[in-house]
Amino acid sequence: MIVNQKFISQNLIVAFFAVTLVLIGAEYFSNTSLVFIFKPILMPLLIALYWIESRTKCKWYLSALIFAFISNVLLLFPNTILLSCGIFAFLFYRIATILTVIKNGDRIAMLPVTLATIPFLVMFSYPVLTMVSTKDPSFYATVLNAIIFSVFSGIGLSSYVMNDNLKNSWLIINTLLSTFLAVIFLFDNFYLSFTIFKPISALVFSLSHFALYCFMMEAEN
């Protein structure tokens, strides 16, 4: 049974990164058909992997993955309303991720988290306020996302600084990759779109999610 479980887990990891490589190629060559087929597969693969490997089955992490899946699907469509819904779904994903880290990470110290959050707030305030029009339906969702994401990043950075262990190393990797992804998303959707942004986003998105999965495994073990 253990051998079968390990075999299935290894194949799910291989499938996860194989789909990632397909997406990178599809995004680079602007093959929308492949993107529509393969992008929604990523989160179910990670959900299946976590479900098999986890002994505790954290409901907040599973909720985060489900909201990430919904956001992934909605953001595939160029429609403004669907884009707004996708950003709101991403907002709930980020809230669930924060609750996941609070539940499974180190004890939160308010002062270090506050100090670590401020640089991220400053970093995201300028692009959000200059790139996203207040008349855009997704403006307020984007602002909320920036605030909540800054708090999450502050938690990740402060945890790593206060306690440099393997678990927090995976968390800070996720934080840095997610920050980079958020900046690319802002530029790509609200300012200037470059072809290279899409494949980079596909790679960073997958790596950041896998880093958070590794954080969960370290936390539970």
Side-chain angles (χ1 to χ4, degrees):
M1 181 67 180
I2 295 175
V3 174
N4 289 336
Q5 179 180 321
K6 185 176 181 181
F7 177 77
I8 293 170
S9 297
Q10 289 174 342
N11 278 276
L12 284 170
I13 293 173
V14 170
F16 180 82
F17 285 105
V19 170
T20 299
L21 289 175
V22 172
L23 279 174
I24 292 170
E27 293 284 14
Y28 182 77
F29 293 106
S30 301
N31 191 324
T32 54
S33 297
L34 285 179
V35 173
F36 269 78
I37 293 169
F38 283 94
K39 195 167 187 179
I41 298 175
L42 277 176
M43 290 304 101
L45 286 172
L46 208 53
I47 291 171
L49 177 62
Y50 176 69
W51 189 265
I52 290 172
E53 287 293 312
S54 173
R55 286 180 254 176
T56 60
K57 309 289 190 296
C58 175
K59 63 180 181 180
W60 291 117
Y61 180 56
L62 287 170
S63 298
L65 292 176
I66 291 170
F67 279 117
F69 167 74
I70 295 171
S71 176
N72 252 7
V73 172
L74 292 175
L75 292 176
L76 286 172
F77 300 93
N79 183 282
T80 305
I81 295 175
L82 291 178
L83 175 63
S84 300
C85 292
I87 292 174
F88 271 111
F90 188 82
L91 174 65
F92 287 115
Y93 153 70
R94 188 54 69 190
I95 292 172
T97 305
I98 290 175
L99 293 172
T100 298
V101 173
I102 291 174
K103 182 175 176 59
N104 296 278
D106 297 335
R107 184 178 177 181
I108 301 297
M110 289 308 298
L111 182 58
V113 170
T114 302
L115 292 175
T117 299
I118 291 173
F120 290 100
L121 277 173
V122 173
M123 183 177 68
F124 282 111
S125 294
Y126 179 76
V128 168
L129 295 177
T130 55
M131 294 180 193
V132 188
S133 171
T134 54
K135 296 178 182 179
D136 193 304
S138 59
F139 174 76
Y140 294 105
T142 305
V143 171
L144 276 174
N145 259 312
I147 294 171
I148 292 173
F149 183 79
S150 297
V151 173
F152 171 76
S153 301
I155 292 172
L157 179 59
S158 63
S159 297
Y160 178 74
V161 171
M162 299 293 288
N163 188 6
D164 179 7
N165 54 30
L166 184 56
K167 177 181 69 175
N168 289 331
S169 294
W170 283 117
L171 182 59
I172 193 63
I173 290 171
N174 169 264
T175 299
L176 295 175
L177 289 172
S178 299
T179 301
F180 183 53
L181 184 64
V183 172
I184 291 177
F185 177 82
L186 284 171
F187 271 88
D188 192 35
N189 286 274
F190 300 107
Y191 190 56
L192 286 175
S193 181
F194 294 100
T195 305
I196 196 64
F197 280 168
K198 297 293 185 183
I200 291 175
S201 294
L203 175 62
V204 175
F205 179 83
S206 295
L207 291 178
S208 66
H209 272 285
F210 193 76
L212 188 61
Y213 162 77
C214 292
F215 161 81
M216 286 300 299
M217 290 297 96
E218 284 296 322
E220 292 181 8
N221 292 331

